[in-house]
Amino acid sequence: MIERMLLALLFLIGFWGIVGIRNIIKKIFGLTIINNAVVILFILEGSRIGNQVPILEEGIENIVDPVPQALMLTAIVIGVCITALALALAFRLYRHSGTFDIDQIHRQVHDVT
Amino acid sequence: MRSKITGLFLFQVFLCLVTITLVLIPLFWTDIPWPTIARDHMENFGMAASGARNMVSAIYLGYRVFDTLGETIVLLVAVSGTIGIIAHGGDVLAKGFGDPSRNESLYQEKTTLVKKQRTALLEVVTGKLGPVVLVFGFYVMLFGHLSPGGGFQGGVVVASGIVFLALGGRADGSTRLTEAGVLAKLESISFLLLILASLSGVVFGGGFFANTLAQAGMPEVGFIVLLNAIIGLKVGAGIGFMCIAMLGRAE
Amino acid sequence: MVIVFLVLLIILSAYTLVTRDLLYGVIALSAISLLSALLFYLLHAPDVAITEAAVGAGVSTVIFVWAIRATERFSPQDRPEKRNGSKGGKQ
Protein backbone atom coordinates (compact mmCIF):
# COMPACT_ATOMS: atom_id res chain seq x y z
CA MET A 1 0.00 0.00 0.00
CA ILE A 2 2.49 2.63 1.11
CA GLU A 3 5.09 1.40 -1.39
CA ARG A 4 2.59 1.86 -4.19
CA MET A 5 1.84 5.40 -3.08
CA LEU A 6 5.54 6.25 -2.94
CA LEU A 7 6.03 4.79 -6.41
CA ALA A 8 3.11 6.83 -7.69
CA LEU A 9 4.78 9.90 -6.21
CA LEU A 10 8.02 8.98 -8.01
CA PHE A 11 6.09 8.57 -11.25
CA LEU A 12 4.37 11.94 -10.74
CA ILE A 13 7.74 13.62 -10.10
CA GLY A 14 8.97 12.28 -13.42
CA PHE A 15 5.74 13.38 -15.11
CA TRP A 16 6.14 16.87 -13.65
CA GLY A 17 9.66 16.90 -15.05
CA ILE A 18 8.29 16.16 -18.52
CA VAL A 19 5.41 18.64 -18.59
CA GLY A 20 6.43 21.32 -16.10
CA ILE A 21 10.11 22.05 -16.71
CA ARG A 22 11.23 23.87 -19.80
CA ASN A 23 14.77 22.55 -20.12
CA ILE A 24 14.89 19.70 -22.64
CA ILE A 25 17.65 17.80 -20.84
CA LYS A 26 15.55 17.85 -17.67
CA LYS A 27 12.61 16.50 -19.63
CA ILE A 28 14.83 13.55 -20.57
CA PHE A 29 15.72 13.16 -16.86
CA GLY A 30 11.97 12.91 -16.27
CA LEU A 31 11.65 10.15 -18.87
CA THR A 32 14.38 8.16 -17.13
CA ILE A 33 12.74 8.60 -13.72
CA ILE A 34 9.36 7.40 -15.05
CA ASN A 35 11.04 4.35 -16.59
CA ASN A 36 12.71 3.60 -13.26
CA ALA A 37 9.45 3.91 -11.32
CA VAL A 38 7.65 1.45 -13.60
CA VAL A 39 10.49 -1.08 -13.38
CA ILE A 40 10.54 -0.88 -9.58
CA LEU A 41 6.74 -1.32 -9.45
CA PHE A 42 6.84 -4.52 -11.51
CA ILE A 43 9.72 -6.05 -9.55
CA LEU A 44 8.06 -5.15 -6.25
CA GLU A 45 4.74 -6.70 -7.17
CA GLY A 46 6.37 -9.82 -8.59
CA SER A 47 8.42 -10.38 -5.45
CA ARG A 48 5.38 -10.58 -3.17
CA ILE A 49 4.73 -14.30 -3.70
CA GLY A 50 8.05 -15.85 -2.79
CA ASN A 51 11.28 -15.49 -0.89
CA GLN A 52 13.93 -17.11 -3.08
CA VAL A 53 15.91 -15.99 -6.10
CA PRO A 54 14.53 -17.67 -9.28
CA ILE A 55 17.62 -19.82 -9.86
CA LEU A 56 16.67 -23.44 -9.36
CA GLU A 57 19.45 -25.04 -7.33
CA GLU A 58 18.85 -28.16 -5.22
CA GLY A 59 16.25 -27.64 -2.53
CA ILE A 60 15.12 -24.23 -3.72
CA GLU A 61 11.38 -23.71 -3.62
CA ASN A 62 8.93 -20.84 -3.24
CA ILE A 63 10.78 -18.66 -5.74
CA VAL A 64 9.61 -15.19 -6.76
CA ASP A 65 7.82 -14.71 -10.08
CA PRO A 66 10.45 -14.66 -12.88
CA VAL A 67 8.11 -13.36 -15.60
CA PRO A 68 8.07 -9.66 -14.58
CA GLN A 69 11.84 -9.79 -14.15
CA ALA A 70 12.31 -10.95 -17.74
CA LEU A 71 9.87 -8.29 -18.96
CA MET A 72 11.63 -5.52 -17.06
CA LEU A 73 14.99 -6.62 -18.45
CA THR A 74 13.61 -5.72 -21.87
CA ALA A 75 12.13 -2.49 -20.52
CA ILE A 76 15.49 -1.27 -19.17
CA VAL A 77 17.16 -1.88 -22.54
CA ILE A 78 14.43 -0.02 -24.41
CA GLY A 79 14.75 2.77 -21.84
CA VAL A 80 18.41 3.35 -22.59
CA CYS A 81 17.66 3.29 -26.34
CA ILE A 82 15.02 5.99 -25.81
CA THR A 83 17.47 8.07 -23.76
CA ALA A 84 20.16 7.88 -26.45
CA LEU A 85 17.80 8.83 -29.26
CA ALA A 86 16.22 11.66 -27.26
CA LEU A 87 19.62 13.12 -26.41
CA ALA A 88 20.70 12.95 -30.05
CA LEU A 89 17.55 14.83 -31.07
CA ALA A 90 18.09 17.39 -28.28
CA PHE A 91 21.66 17.88 -29.52
CA ARG A 92 20.47 18.59 -33.06
CA LEU A 93 17.86 21.01 -31.71
CA TYR A 94 20.54 22.78 -29.68
CA ARG A 95 22.78 23.07 -32.73
CA HIS A 96 19.97 24.72 -34.70
CA SER A 97 18.51 26.98 -32.01
CA GLY A 98 21.34 27.57 -29.55
CA THR A 99 19.24 26.97 -26.46
CA PHE A 100 17.58 24.23 -24.45
CA ASP A 101 14.65 26.40 -23.38
CA ILE A 102 11.47 25.12 -24.99
CA ASP A 103 9.82 28.56 -24.95
CA GLN A 104 12.68 30.23 -26.79
CA ILE A 105 12.72 27.42 -29.36
CA HIS A 106 8.98 27.87 -29.81
CA ARG A 107 9.45 31.61 -30.29
CA GLN A 108 12.15 31.04 -32.91
CA VAL A 109 9.92 28.63 -34.81
CA HIS A 110 7.09 31.21 -34.55
CA ASP A 111 9.33 33.96 -35.90
CA VAL A 112 10.38 31.89 -38.92
CA THR A 113 6.81 31.01 -39.89
CA MET B 1 -7.08 39.67 -14.93
CA ARG B 2 -4.13 37.83 -13.54
CA SER B 3 -5.99 36.86 -10.35
CA LYS B 4 -8.82 35.47 -12.46
CA ILE B 5 -6.36 33.36 -14.44
CA THR B 6 -4.75 32.16 -11.22
CA GLY B 7 -8.15 31.18 -9.81
CA LEU B 8 -8.97 29.22 -12.93
CA PHE B 9 -5.62 27.50 -12.75
CA LEU B 10 -6.15 26.53 -9.11
CA PHE B 11 -9.60 25.17 -10.00
CA GLN B 12 -8.07 23.06 -12.75
CA VAL B 13 -5.44 21.74 -10.35
CA PHE B 14 -8.22 20.86 -7.89
CA LEU B 15 -10.14 18.99 -10.59
CA CYS B 16 -7.00 17.07 -11.56
CA LEU B 17 -6.38 16.07 -7.94
CA VAL B 18 -9.98 14.88 -7.50
CA THR B 19 -9.78 12.80 -10.66
CA ILE B 20 -6.45 11.29 -9.67
CA THR B 21 -7.80 10.45 -6.23
CA LEU B 22 -10.94 8.82 -7.60
CA VAL B 23 -8.95 6.71 -10.05
CA LEU B 24 -5.94 5.80 -7.97
CA ILE B 25 -7.33 5.13 -4.48
CA PRO B 26 -9.14 1.91 -5.54
CA LEU B 27 -5.94 0.78 -7.25
CA PHE B 28 -3.94 1.34 -4.09
CA TRP B 29 -6.49 -0.30 -1.82
CA THR B 30 -6.94 -3.50 -3.81
CA ASP B 31 -5.78 -6.58 -2.03
CA ILE B 32 -5.82 -9.05 -4.91
CA PRO B 33 -2.75 -11.28 -4.57
CA TRP B 34 -0.29 -11.62 -7.43
CA PRO B 35 -1.20 -14.70 -9.51
CA THR B 36 1.07 -17.67 -8.84
CA ILE B 37 0.23 -19.77 -11.91
CA ALA B 38 3.25 -18.65 -13.98
CA ARG B 39 5.58 -19.08 -11.02
CA ASP B 40 4.32 -22.59 -10.31
CA HIS B 41 4.65 -23.62 -13.93
CA MET B 42 8.20 -22.31 -14.12
CA GLU B 43 9.15 -23.95 -10.85
CA ASN B 44 7.85 -27.34 -11.87
CA PHE B 45 8.54 -27.59 -15.62
CA GLY B 46 10.86 -24.72 -16.51
CA MET B 47 14.13 -26.51 -15.95
CA ALA B 48 13.04 -29.64 -17.80
CA ALA B 49 11.79 -27.61 -20.77
CA SER B 50 14.77 -25.31 -21.22
CA GLY B 51 17.67 -26.92 -19.37
CA ALA B 52 18.72 -23.65 -17.75
CA ARG B 53 18.80 -23.19 -14.00
CA ASN B 54 18.29 -19.44 -14.15
CA MET B 55 14.58 -19.05 -14.82
CA VAL B 56 14.94 -15.45 -16.03
CA SER B 57 17.37 -16.62 -18.72
CA ALA B 58 15.01 -19.46 -19.59
CA ILE B 59 12.16 -16.99 -20.19
CA TYR B 60 14.36 -14.41 -21.88
CA LEU B 61 15.93 -16.80 -24.40
CA GLY B 62 13.51 -19.70 -24.40
CA TYR B 63 9.87 -18.84 -23.90
CA ARG B 64 10.04 -15.20 -25.07
CA VAL B 65 12.89 -15.31 -27.57
CA PHE B 66 10.96 -13.38 -30.22
CA ASP B 67 10.83 -10.51 -27.75
CA THR B 68 14.61 -10.67 -27.43
CA LEU B 69 15.03 -10.59 -31.22
CA GLY B 70 12.84 -7.49 -31.40
CA GLU B 71 14.77 -5.85 -28.58
CA THR B 72 18.06 -6.55 -30.38
CA ILE B 73 16.70 -4.92 -33.53
CA VAL B 74 15.52 -1.91 -31.51
CA LEU B 75 18.98 -1.56 -30.00
CA LEU B 76 20.62 -1.75 -33.44
CA VAL B 77 18.26 0.91 -34.82
CA ALA B 78 18.77 3.14 -31.79
CA VAL B 79 22.58 3.00 -31.96
CA SER B 80 22.75 3.59 -35.70
CA GLY B 81 20.08 6.30 -35.52
CA THR B 82 21.86 8.10 -32.70
CA ILE B 83 25.21 8.05 -34.47
CA GLY B 84 23.57 9.11 -37.73
CA ILE B 85 21.66 12.02 -36.19
CA ILE B 86 24.71 13.29 -34.32
CA ALA B 87 27.17 12.88 -37.19
CA HIS B 88 25.15 15.22 -39.39
CA GLY B 89 24.93 17.86 -36.70
CA GLY B 90 28.53 18.73 -35.97
CA ASP B 91 32.05 17.75 -35.06
CA VAL B 92 31.59 16.20 -31.65
CA LEU B 93 32.17 12.53 -32.38
CA ALA B 94 35.57 10.86 -32.07
CA LYS B 95 37.74 10.65 -35.15
CA GLY B 96 36.63 7.95 -37.55
CA PHE B 97 33.28 7.29 -35.87
CA GLY B 98 31.18 9.91 -37.61
CA ASP B 99 30.41 10.54 -41.24
CA PRO B 100 33.58 9.60 -43.17
CA SER B 101 32.84 12.07 -45.97
CA ARG B 102 33.12 15.05 -43.65
CA ASN B 103 36.25 17.13 -43.34
CA GLU B 104 38.63 15.35 -40.98
CA SER B 105 40.24 18.55 -39.74
CA LEU B 106 37.07 19.31 -37.81
CA TYR B 107 37.60 16.25 -35.66
CA GLN B 108 41.22 17.00 -34.92
CA GLU B 109 40.67 19.84 -32.53
CA LYS B 110 38.23 17.84 -30.40
CA THR B 111 40.59 14.89 -29.96
CA THR B 112 43.42 17.14 -28.81
CA LEU B 113 40.98 18.58 -26.29
CA VAL B 114 40.31 15.08 -25.01
CA LYS B 115 44.02 14.39 -24.85
CA LYS B 116 44.66 17.46 -22.74
CA GLN B 117 42.13 16.38 -20.13
CA ARG B 118 43.61 12.93 -19.54
CA THR B 119 45.79 12.28 -16.53
CA ALA B 120 48.31 9.58 -15.68
CA LEU B 121 45.94 8.06 -13.11
CA LEU B 122 43.15 7.65 -15.64
CA GLU B 123 45.53 6.17 -18.20
CA VAL B 124 47.13 3.62 -15.87
CA VAL B 125 43.96 2.54 -14.08
CA THR B 126 41.76 2.16 -17.14
CA GLY B 127 44.48 0.54 -19.22
CA LYS B 128 45.23 -2.09 -16.59
CA LEU B 129 41.61 -2.64 -15.62
CA GLY B 130 40.28 -3.04 -19.17
CA PRO B 131 41.28 -6.69 -19.81
CA VAL B 132 40.01 -7.76 -16.37
CA VAL B 133 36.64 -6.15 -17.06
CA LEU B 134 36.55 -7.88 -20.45
CA VAL B 135 37.15 -11.29 -18.85
CA PHE B 136 34.45 -10.65 -16.26
CA GLY B 137 32.07 -9.59 -19.03
CA PHE B 138 32.66 -12.85 -20.89
CA TYR B 139 32.10 -14.77 -17.64
CA VAL B 140 28.77 -13.03 -17.05
CA MET B 141 27.83 -13.63 -20.68
CA LEU B 142 28.69 -17.34 -20.91
CA PHE B 143 27.40 -18.48 -17.50
CA GLY B 144 24.06 -16.73 -17.79
CA HIS B 145 22.15 -20.03 -17.66
CA LEU B 146 23.60 -20.97 -14.25
CA SER B 147 24.04 -17.68 -12.41
CA PRO B 148 22.65 -14.15 -12.65
CA GLY B 149 23.66 -12.65 -15.94
CA GLY B 150 23.16 -13.31 -19.59
CA GLY B 151 23.78 -11.91 -23.01
CA PHE B 152 22.73 -8.34 -22.53
CA GLN B 153 24.30 -7.85 -19.10
CA GLY B 154 27.56 -9.44 -20.19
CA GLY B 155 27.49 -7.37 -23.34
CA VAL B 156 27.21 -4.13 -21.43
CA VAL B 157 30.12 -5.14 -19.18
CA VAL B 158 32.16 -6.02 -22.29
CA ALA B 159 31.31 -2.58 -23.66
CA SER B 160 32.66 -0.99 -20.47
CA GLY B 161 35.86 -3.00 -20.92
CA ILE B 162 36.18 -1.77 -24.52
CA VAL B 163 35.66 1.82 -23.36
CA PHE B 164 38.34 1.33 -20.68
CA LEU B 165 40.76 0.04 -23.32
CA ALA B 166 39.93 3.02 -25.54
CA LEU B 167 40.51 5.52 -22.73
CA GLY B 168 43.68 3.97 -21.36
CA GLY B 169 45.42 2.31 -24.29
CA ARG B 170 48.08 3.90 -26.46
CA ALA B 171 47.56 4.62 -30.12
CA ASP B 172 50.05 1.94 -31.16
CA GLY B 173 48.73 -0.54 -28.63
CA SER B 174 48.37 -4.24 -29.24
CA THR B 175 44.57 -4.22 -29.61
CA ARG B 176 42.47 -3.11 -32.54
CA LEU B 177 39.25 -3.65 -30.63
CA THR B 178 38.67 0.08 -30.14
CA GLU B 179 38.65 1.03 -33.84
CA ALA B 180 35.41 2.01 -35.50
CA GLY B 181 35.68 -0.43 -38.40
CA VAL B 182 36.39 -3.43 -36.18
CA LEU B 183 33.47 -2.69 -33.85
CA ALA B 184 31.05 -2.09 -36.72
CA LYS B 185 32.09 -5.34 -38.42
CA LEU B 186 31.76 -7.25 -35.13
CA GLU B 187 28.23 -5.94 -34.63
CA SER B 188 27.16 -6.74 -38.20
CA ILE B 189 28.61 -10.26 -38.06
CA SER B 190 26.94 -10.94 -34.70
CA PHE B 191 23.59 -9.79 -36.00
CA LEU B 192 23.99 -12.01 -39.08
CA LEU B 193 24.84 -14.94 -36.80
CA LEU B 194 21.74 -14.25 -34.70
CA ILE B 195 19.52 -14.29 -37.79
CA LEU B 196 21.20 -17.49 -39.01
CA ALA B 197 20.76 -19.14 -35.61
CA SER B 198 17.08 -18.21 -35.61
CA LEU B 199 16.59 -19.53 -39.15
CA SER B 200 18.52 -22.76 -38.58
CA GLY B 201 15.46 -24.35 -37.01
CA VAL B 202 13.52 -23.88 -40.26
CA VAL B 203 16.18 -25.75 -42.25
CA PHE B 204 16.09 -28.74 -39.92
CA GLY B 205 12.32 -28.96 -39.91
CA GLY B 206 11.52 -27.12 -36.71
CA GLY B 207 10.02 -23.67 -36.39
CA PHE B 208 11.58 -20.25 -36.23
CA PHE B 209 14.04 -20.28 -33.29
CA ALA B 210 13.69 -24.07 -32.86
CA ASN B 211 16.37 -25.66 -30.73
CA THR B 212 18.60 -27.23 -33.38
CA LEU B 213 21.38 -28.15 -30.99
CA ALA B 214 19.02 -30.38 -29.01
CA GLN B 215 17.91 -32.10 -32.22
CA ALA B 216 21.56 -32.77 -33.06
CA GLY B 217 21.95 -34.64 -29.78
CA MET B 218 23.69 -31.98 -27.72
CA PRO B 219 22.39 -30.88 -24.31
CA GLU B 220 19.26 -28.76 -24.23
CA VAL B 221 20.95 -25.76 -22.71
CA GLY B 222 23.48 -25.34 -25.55
CA PHE B 223 21.16 -23.17 -27.61
CA ILE B 224 20.74 -20.70 -24.73
CA VAL B 225 24.53 -20.48 -24.30
CA LEU B 226 24.96 -19.91 -28.05
CA LEU B 227 22.33 -17.16 -28.12
CA ASN B 228 23.84 -15.57 -25.01
CA ALA B 229 27.27 -15.42 -26.64
CA ILE B 230 25.95 -13.97 -29.91
CA ILE B 231 23.74 -11.35 -28.22
CA GLY B 232 26.55 -10.44 -25.83
CA LEU B 233 29.00 -9.81 -28.69
CA LYS B 234 26.45 -7.77 -30.58
CA VAL B 235 25.41 -5.63 -27.62
CA GLY B 236 29.00 -5.14 -26.50
CA ALA B 237 30.14 -4.02 -29.95
CA GLY B 238 27.14 -1.73 -30.46
CA ILE B 239 27.18 0.03 -27.10
CA GLY B 240 30.98 0.19 -27.12
CA PHE B 241 30.82 1.86 -30.53
CA MET B 242 28.34 4.45 -29.29
CA CYS B 243 30.25 5.21 -26.07
CA ILE B 244 33.66 5.51 -27.77
CA ALA B 245 32.17 7.73 -30.47
CA MET B 246 30.86 10.05 -27.77
CA LEU B 247 33.78 9.98 -25.34
CA GLY B 248 36.67 10.25 -27.75
CA ARG B 249 39.64 7.91 -27.75
CA ALA B 250 43.35 7.89 -27.06
CA GLU B 251 45.33 9.11 -30.06
CA MET C 1 13.47 -1.34 4.26
CA VAL C 2 11.91 -0.88 0.84
CA ILE C 3 10.20 2.28 2.06
CA VAL C 4 13.52 3.83 3.10
CA PHE C 5 14.94 3.15 -0.36
CA LEU C 6 11.87 4.61 -2.04
CA VAL C 7 12.01 7.80 0.04
CA LEU C 8 15.68 8.20 -0.86
CA LEU C 9 14.83 7.68 -4.53
CA ILE C 10 12.11 10.34 -4.37
CA ILE C 11 14.46 12.86 -2.73
CA LEU C 12 17.18 12.18 -5.31
CA SER C 13 14.81 12.45 -8.26
CA ALA C 14 13.40 15.75 -6.98
CA TYR C 15 16.96 17.04 -6.60
CA THR C 16 17.73 15.90 -10.16
CA LEU C 17 14.89 17.98 -11.53
CA VAL C 18 15.38 21.17 -9.49
CA THR C 19 19.15 21.59 -9.60
CA ARG C 20 20.51 24.24 -11.94
CA ASP C 21 23.77 22.45 -12.74
CA LEU C 22 22.89 19.68 -15.17
CA LEU C 23 26.05 17.73 -14.34
CA TYR C 24 24.90 17.40 -10.71
CA GLY C 25 21.62 16.12 -12.08
CA VAL C 26 23.40 13.42 -14.08
CA ILE C 27 25.36 12.27 -11.05
CA ALA C 28 22.17 12.14 -8.98
CA LEU C 29 20.56 10.13 -11.77
CA SER C 30 23.33 7.53 -11.66
CA ALA C 31 22.93 7.43 -7.87
CA ILE C 32 19.23 6.70 -8.47
CA SER C 33 20.24 3.80 -10.70
CA LEU C 34 22.64 2.40 -8.11
CA LEU C 35 20.00 2.62 -5.35
CA SER C 36 17.50 0.89 -7.66
CA ALA C 37 20.02 -1.88 -8.29
CA LEU C 38 20.42 -2.41 -4.53
CA LEU C 39 16.64 -2.47 -4.19
CA PHE C 40 16.34 -5.10 -6.94
CA TYR C 41 18.92 -7.24 -5.16
CA LEU C 42 16.91 -7.02 -1.95
CA LEU C 43 13.76 -7.97 -3.87
CA HIS C 44 15.38 -11.22 -5.18
CA ALA C 45 15.97 -10.02 -8.74
CA PRO C 46 19.74 -10.24 -9.31
CA ASP C 47 19.47 -10.25 -13.13
CA VAL C 48 17.63 -6.95 -13.19
CA ALA C 49 20.09 -5.60 -10.61
CA ILE C 50 23.08 -6.36 -12.85
CA THR C 51 21.36 -4.81 -15.85
CA GLU C 52 20.33 -1.68 -13.98
CA ALA C 53 23.79 -1.17 -12.48
CA ALA C 54 25.57 -1.63 -15.81
CA VAL C 55 23.13 0.35 -17.93
CA GLY C 56 21.93 3.05 -15.58
CA ALA C 57 25.21 3.87 -13.87
CA GLY C 58 27.42 3.18 -16.88
CA VAL C 59 25.99 3.69 -20.34
CA SER C 60 23.35 6.33 -19.70
CA THR C 61 25.78 8.40 -17.59
CA VAL C 62 28.27 8.35 -20.47
CA ILE C 63 25.58 9.50 -22.92
CA PHE C 64 24.32 12.29 -20.65
CA VAL C 65 27.82 13.56 -19.88
CA TRP C 66 28.60 13.61 -23.60
CA ALA C 67 25.44 15.58 -24.34
CA ILE C 68 26.19 18.15 -21.63
CA ARG C 69 29.82 18.51 -22.71
CA ALA C 70 28.78 19.04 -26.32
CA THR C 71 26.19 21.69 -25.45
CA GLU C 72 25.86 23.71 -22.25
CA ARG C 73 26.10 22.82 -18.59
CA PHE C 74 23.85 25.25 -16.71
CA SER C 75 20.15 25.81 -17.09
CA PRO C 76 19.55 29.45 -16.18
CA GLN C 77 15.75 29.46 -16.43
CA ASP C 78 12.98 27.82 -14.35
CA ARG C 79 12.07 31.05 -12.63
CA PRO C 80 8.32 31.59 -12.20
CA GLU C 81 8.33 35.37 -12.77
CA LYS C 82 9.81 34.92 -16.24
CA ARG C 83 7.10 32.44 -17.12
CA ASN C 84 4.38 34.85 -15.96
CA GLY C 85 5.98 37.59 -18.03
CA SER C 86 5.95 35.52 -21.20
CA LYS C 87 2.34 34.54 -20.59
CA GLY C 88 1.33 38.16 -20.09
CA GLY C 89 3.18 39.15 -23.25
CA LYS C 90 1.19 36.72 -25.32
CA GLN C 91 -2.14 38.14 -24.25
Side-chain angles (χ1 to χ4, degrees), chain A residues 2-3 6-7 9-10 13 16-17 20-23 25-26 28-30 32-33 36 39-40 43-44 47 50-54 64 69 73 76 80 83-84 87 91 94-95 100-101 103-104 107, chain C residues 2-3 6-7 9-10 13-14 16-20 22 25-26 29 32-33 36 39-40 43-48 51-52 55 59-60 63-64 66-67 70-72 75 77-79 82-83 86:
Chain A
I2 198 151
E3 292 100 341
L6 287 174
L7 279 173
L9 188 58
L10 193 61
I13 287 176
W16 169 69
I21 290 183
R22 295 179 297 155
N23 192 323
I25 297 285
K26 285 191 181 175
I28 302 172
F29 286 168
T32 313
I33 291 169
N36 229 331
V39 171
I40 294 174
I43 299 294
L44 190 66
S47 74
N51 51 13
Q52 292 281 347
V53 172
V64 302
Q69 298 191 9
L73 223 55
I76 291 175
V80 77
T83 305
L87 279 173
F91 169 72
Y94 183 84
R95 275 294 155 112
F100 274 141
D101 194 336
D103 280 348
Q104 291 185 25
R107 215 170 297 140
Chain C
V2 176
I3 294 174
L6 287 179
V7 171
L9 283 177
I10 286 173
S13 55
T16 303
L17 289 180
V18 299
T19 179
R20 279 186 57 201
L22 290 176
V26 174
L29 210 62
I32 288 175
S33 283
S36 312
L39 187 60
F40 295 149
L43 292 174
H44 313 291
D47 289 273
V48 191
T51 313
E52 180 75 37
V55 169
V59 177
S60 78
I63 302 172
F64 272 117
W66 166 81
T71 53
E72 66 182 12
S75 72
Q77 72 275 21
D78 298 336
R79 293 201 191 94
K82 196 177 169 189
R83 177 181 293 173
S86 72

Side-chain angles (χ1 to χ4, degrees), chain B residues 183-197:
Chain B
L183 284 177
K185 275 193 193 101
L186 198 57
E187 170 151 14
S188 319
I189 290 172
S190 308
F191 191 64
L192 184 66
L193 280 177
L194 183 62
I195 298 293
L196 283 181

Side-chain angles (χ1 to χ4, degrees), chain B:
Chain B
M1 182 172 174
R2 179 159 294 170
S3 70
K4 195 175 164 188
I5 288 175
T6 313
L8 190 63
F9 179 70
L10 285 182
F11 182 64
Q12 285 169 346
V13 168
F14 176 71
L15 275 187
C16 279
L17 285 180
V18 167
T19 314
I20 286 173
T21 314
L22 284 182
V23 172
L24 287 187
I25 287 293
L27 282 181
F28 288 143
W29 277 95
T30 53
D31 212 10
I32 302 172
W34 186 268
T36 60
I37 175 168
R39 194 272 309 264
D40 293 340
H41 181 268
M42 294 303 295
E43 198 171 332
N44 293 327
F45 307 109
M47 195 167 152
S50 66
R53 285 192 185 276
N54 186 353
M55 280 303 111
V56 179
S57 261
I59 295 173
Y60 195 63
L61 293 171
Y63 291 92
R64 295 182 59 88
V65 70
F66 281 24
D67 206 1
T68 309
L69 180 67
E71 173 199 330
T72 318
I73 294 173
V74 167
L75 189 71
L76 178 68
V77 171
V79 168
S80 51
T82 306
I83 296 295
I85 288 173
I86 293 170
H88 279 281
D91 51 342
V92 291
L93 290 183
K95 187 178 173 187
F97 280 82
D99 193 353
S101 63
R102 285 181 70 89
N103 192 1
E104 286 288 330
S105 68
L106 285 176
Y107 295 101
Q108 204 61 44
E109 134 188 28
K110 202 68 188 181
T111 46
T112 50
L113 189 84
V114 169
K115 198 173 180 180
K116 220 179 287 175
Q117 287 169 348
R118 298 164 75 222
T119 61
L121 183 69
L122 180 73
E123 245 171 77
V124 171
V125 168
T126 55
K128 297 289 182 291
L129 209 57
V132 182
V133 175
L134 272 183
V135 170
F136 177 66
F138 280 109
Y139 166 76
V140 170
M141 186 197 300
L142 292 178
F143 284 78
H145 58 292
L146 293 177
S147 59
F152 185 79
Q153 294 94 321
V156 178
V157 179
V158 164
S160 337
I162 292 174
V163 171
F164 275 5
L165 284 181
L167 283 180
R170 293 183 301 276
D172 53 346
S174 54
T175 176
R176 293 184 61 215
L177 200 58
T178 63
E179 292 175 12
V182 177
L183 284 177
K185 275 193 193 101
L186 198 57
E187 170 151 14
S188 319
I189 290 172
S190 308
F191 191 64
L192 184 66
L193 280 177
L194 183 62
I195 298 293
L196 283 181
S198 65
L199 284 177
S200 66
V202 178
V203 178
F204 289 103
F208 197 58
F209 269 119
N211 194 337
T212 45
L213 290 181
Q215 290 171 359
M218 289 172 69
E220 193 92 27
V221 74
F223 198 61
I224 288 183
V225 178
L226 179 71
L227 285 182
N228 261 336
I230 293 173
I231 291 174
L233 275 180
K234 181 188 167 336
V235 170
I239 292 187
F241 185 91
M242 192 166 73
C243 289
I244 294 177
M246 288 177 171
L247 277 181
R249 164 174 63 134
E251 291 292 333

